[in-house]
Amino acid sequence: MNDMDAWIQTRYGGVGEVARTRIDVPVPRRGEVLLRVRATGLNAADRHIMTGEPLLLRSAFGWSRPKQPVRGLDVAGTVVALGPEVSGFAVGDELVGEIPGGGGLAEYAIAPAARLVPRPAEVDPVTAAALPVAGGTAWQALARATVSAGDRVLVLGASGGVGTFTVQLAAARGAEVHASCSERNRSLVASLGASTIYDRRTVSLADLPERGFEVVVDIAGDSPLRAVRRLLRDGGSAILIAGEGGRVLGPIPRVVRAAALSAFSRRPLRPLTATAKPEVLRDLLALAADGRIAPVVERTWSFAEARDALAHLAAGRTVGKVVVTVG
């Protein structure tokens, strides 16, 4: 086990910069675990890191090229080696977690032990690999908004990875879920627990009831902020998850505008920067094991098709999650 197959990129750009090659198997350092990757879930963050845009993210991921050349943040895998000072896990354990910077589109990947949790036997690797980033983001959005039974929740952009989890988790909390998505995804979103669905191409926010919702979760990130705030009841809040923004600063200008509009407001707009939370992932896995939530996996791709999976993700029309099976 000296080398392995991996999809790597040596500079920022599109999927044309990603190539399958042989590289050395990484060696786990203090506090790290080496996993034999079984499945990798892809997220919008993988696309941003691949392209290096917005340019601001390069301050964290590498100025001239990605520090980690392998994409894939969400990984389910089998422990094959432990670094020094790792306790609680053993070779052969089945684990899942979010890897900082990526690494999942390879036969083996290094992950901090502190970010990994056991995969229940009832949850297969594909399901597990779809959970960490998208499911964790949806969970943290609803937690920040303190969604509870009886709340009217509007999800803008309900058919993507984060959106499909947000609808399910809000419904599981007893909320009355309203959702905006394309007409082709109406039946899917309804099956996840949304009671009212708006076609985002024909129904504008101005057509929705003023002050009609306790919570708005804005995943699409392209709605005017004042129009979003108009939908909130006093004491409610809007959670802003995404927003492509400009090539340099990305969603930062929108975040700044949201802060200005929210000053002294009873209807605040709250940007969310989700982080890896293993305790949340444990709860998501438990819900999946019990059948209370299920990731919407649009398609699974083989390891040989990983570049095609990245191309599909980059096209921006993903429904639910894209998962690559590795081994």
Side-chain angles (χ1 to χ4, degrees):
M1 193 176 68
N2 295 320
D3 59 3
M4 65 177 182
D5 271 354
W7 289 91
I8 71 167
Q9 60 177 126
T10 57
R11 60 183 180 180
Y12 290 114
V15 293
E17 302 298 336
V18 180
R20 185 174 181 174
T21 189
R22 299 292 291 181
I23 62 173
D24 291 338
V25 173
V27 177
R29 297 175 294 183
R30 180 178 292 107
E32 293 181 336
V33 172
L34 177 64
L35 298 173
R36 176 70 168 91
V37 180
R38 301 193 62 185
T40 294
L42 299 180
N43 299 277
D46 291 300
R47 171 171 56 85
H48 287 300
I49 299 171
M50 178 176 70
T51 61
E53 294 183 4
L55 298 179
L56 181 65
L57 69 73
R58 299 191 186 194
S59 62
F61 295 102
W63 286 110
S64 60
R65 61 183 180 180
K67 296 176 185 176
Q68 166 55 271
V70 181
R71 304 281 59 79
L73 297 168
D74 290 347
V75 171
T78 308
V79 177
V80 294
L82 303 172
E85 300 181 12
V86 173
S87 60
F89 298 135
V91 172
D93 286 351
E94 297 291 338
L95 305 179
V96 58
E98 177 186 341
I99 305 178
L105 290 180
E107 291 180 300
Y108 297 90
I110 290 288
R115 289 201 175 194
L116 298 171
V117 300
R119 174 173 64 83
E122 300 88 349
V123 180
D124 63 80
V126 168
T127 297
L131 288 171
V133 170
T137 299
W139 183 289
Q140 291 174 60
L142 297 176
R144 185 163 190 192
T146 61
V147 171
S148 56
D151 285 347
R152 286 167 58 92
V153 176
L154 172 64
V155 182
L156 301 176
S159 60
V162 176
T164 51
F165 279 119
T166 302
V167 171
Q168 291 182 76
L169 291 169
R173 294 186 180 203
E176 178 186 322
V177 183
H178 297 236
S180 172
C181 63
S182 63
E183 182 63 25
R184 70 187 178 101
N185 295 319
R186 172 183 288 272
S187 60
L188 167 66
V189 174
S191 72
L192 300 176
S195 60
T196 305
I197 300 170
Y198 308 102
D199 183 347
R200 71 186 308 267
R201 296 179 181 177
T202 60
V203 179
S204 72
L205 297 192
D207 299 322
L208 302 186
E210 183 174 1
R211 303 200 179 195
F213 304 94
E214 277 79 21
V215 175
V216 175
V217 181
D218 182 7
I219 303 162
D222 56 3
S223 300
L225 292 175
R226 292 184 184 277
V228 173
R229 189 177 65 173
R230 168 190 167 275
L231 301 175
L232 292 170
R233 294 174 176 171
D234 286 346
S237 61
I239 308 300
L240 311 179
I241 290 178
E244 295 298 314
R247 181 171 180 265
V248 177
L249 296 178
I252 297 300
R254 192 169 192 257
V255 170
V256 172
R257 292 195 299 273
L261 286 171
S262 298
F264 310 109
S265 174
R266 297 184 62 189
R267 293 173 289 155
L269 308 170
R270 304 183 186 277
L272 175 70
T273 301
T275 58
K277 293 183 180 294
E279 66 277 13
V280 168
L281 181 55
R282 285 180 186 274
D283 288 340
L284 290 168
L285 287 163
L287 290 173
D290 290 342
R292 296 173 62 190
I293 64 169
V296 175
V297 178
E298 180 179 13
R299 176 179 168 182
T300 59
W301 307 73
S302 71
F303 185 64
E305 300 171 313
R307 185 162 56 188
D308 294 332
L310 284 168
H312 181 75
L313 180 76
R317 295 187 294 272
T318 300
V319 178
K321 294 290 299 177
V322 168
V323 179
V324 176
T325 56
V326 181

